[in-house]
Amino acid sequence: MDRFDEINAFAAVADARSFTQGARRLGVSSAQVSKLVARLENRLGARLLNRTTRDVSLTDTGRAYLERARDLLAEFDALESSVREQDGPRGLLRISAPVVFGAKQLDPALLDFAQAYPEVALEVAYSDRFVNLVDEGFDVGVRIGRLTDSSLIARKLSPVSLVACASPAYLQRHGIPQSPADLADHEAIIDLNAQDPFVWNFGEGGECREVRVHGRLRFTGGEACLAAAERGLGVARTPDFIAADRLRSGRLTPLLCGYEPEVSNVHAVYPAGKHLAPKVRAFVDFLVDRFSGEPARRKGWAEAASRLPAA
């Protein structure tokens, strides 16, 4: 058990890149974690971590050791969970998700899950960077778009599409684009988070059509783009879950609805393993049930489209 504590402390510090944060994750003191890691290194006769005043990083030896240690820790955790969770899901569940989807869609689901499963503690990190679930110690991630990590198990939660929109006042002044090509005559509000911010893809006749747009306003984030569009400053394009409230209320009007690009999906993903912890299974099943079917956020868009001013 002493050796397990040493390995667990080492993995926590490596994931957090900090003795302080690693200790906090384990619920022990920094001094205790430091002692355990030092004892592990002394026993192995190898340095596993590089330590500076600002950062902690893995040595080459530490990186190789951590990769093997993760399998051991996962098996041990699964073994304990199979006994400990016989009466239901319990324990700490670490979740990673994108920032805006988290705030707009996931937060209410998390609170409902917390009420339904009082024995499960939630630690939720919102970030738009790519998060390696295994390396950073997350149990579940929420991903939008194409999945590239084949080592993860994925469950589909919900479709997501991009929607172009503008304020009624802007459309009264500048007219309504009838086809994607018409956007060349409009001021686009650019979301720099997009893979190619100045190229908007649309669907036409079963094919993808690229339209190059231009605009003087450029933001890193869809919320700022929509706020500018609401002020009548141009046409914005964001994922539907960001724009939904403004579209339903009529503050923004959906455009080019007949040219929607290929719909992508939101997935819950988790590392593959021999044993799936009950807390992970319960959470993923909860999300699948919560987001299944046609998203409620899309309801009311037909009414919004009917409010288009005359061209």
Side-chain angles (χ1 to χ4, degrees), residues 11-304:
V13 172
D15 288 340
R17 299 176 65 93
S18 163
F19 279 86
T20 301
Q21 294 300 322
R24 185 171 298 157
R25 183 176 299 175
L26 295 176
V28 299
S29 68
S30 297
Q32 184 175 352
V33 165
S34 181
K35 180 180 178 180
L36 288 168
V37 173
R39 197 163 67 194
L40 175 63
E41 290 179 322
N42 290 336
R43 183 165 54 79
L44 296 174
R47 179 172 288 277
L48 303 177
L49 296 170
N50 293 314
R51 304 157 172 84
T52 69
T53 56
R54 294 185 176 181
D55 193 23
V56 175
S57 62
L58 288 163
T59 64
D60 290 340
T61 301
R63 189 171 294 106
Y65 186 80
L66 180 63
E67 185 175 348
R68 298 293 299 274
R70 287 195 192 283
D71 294 336
L72 177 63
L73 292 171
E75 285 298 314
F76 190 87
D77 184 60
L79 175 62
E80 285 204 327
S81 294
S82 66
V83 176
R84 189 172 58 242
E85 300 185 357
Q86 287 182 0
D87 295 331
R90 64 180 65 241
L92 176 63
L93 184 67
R94 301 190 70 235
I95 303 160
S96 170
V99 175
V100 178
F101 185 84
K104 291 285 187 180
Q105 299 291 315
L106 198 58
D107 276 351
L110 289 171
L111 298 179
D112 289 343
F113 180 82
Q115 287 184 317
Y117 294 91
E119 298 300 319
V120 178
L122 299 181
E123 182 177 307
V124 186
Y126 290 146
S127 174
D128 288 328
R129 67 178 177 84
F130 176 80
V131 174
N132 188 308
L133 300 185
V134 175
D135 287 351
E136 299 184 44
F138 286 99
D139 298 296
V140 182
V142 175
R143 300 272 172 86
I144 300 174
R146 183 176 300 175
L147 299 176
T148 58
D149 191 339
S150 60
S151 67
L152 300 176
I153 306 298
R155 297 276 304 277
K156 178 182 173 181
L157 300 183
S158 170
V160 173
S161 62
L162 293 172
V163 56
C165 53
S167 71
Y170 174 88
L171 296 174
Q172 287 176 350
R173 294 195 307 271
H174 300 281
I176 305 166
Q178 301 298 318
S179 74
D182 293 343
L183 291 174
D185 298 324
H186 287 265
E187 184 79 10
I189 302 168
I190 309 298
D191 184 353
L192 296 174
N193 273 341
Q195 186 174 1
D196 192 343
F198 297 95
V199 175
W200 291 0
N201 294 316
F202 292 88
E204 187 171 10
E207 298 182 357
C208 179
R209 179 175 179 181
E210 294 185 347
V211 176
R212 182 162 291 277
V213 296
H214 62 87
R216 64 189 180 91
L217 298 182
R218 305 166 189 179
F219 301 96
T220 304
E223 277 289 349
C225 294
L226 292 175
E230 194 173 344
R231 294 282 294 272
L233 297 173
V235 178
R237 194 170 192 237
T238 72
D240 55 16
F241 61 83
I242 304 179
D245 291 342
R246 290 180 171 94
L247 292 173
R248 281 196 297 268
S249 69
R251 289 176 288 163
L252 291 176
T253 301
L255 304 172
L256 304 172
C257 294
Y259 297 90
E260 286 191 356
E262 181 181 352
V263 174
S264 61
N265 292 294
V266 183
H267 290 90
V269 297
Y270 52 90
K274 295 180 181 178
H275 306 284
L276 182 61
K279 62 186 178 184
V280 175
R281 181 182 292 106
F283 181 67
V284 173
D285 287 347
F286 183 90
L287 291 185
V288 170
D289 181 67
R290 178 67 170 255
F291 290 102
S292 63
E294 184 70 8
R297 61 178 177 266
R298 298 180 65 87
K299 294 180 179 178
W301 287 15
E303 291 82 355

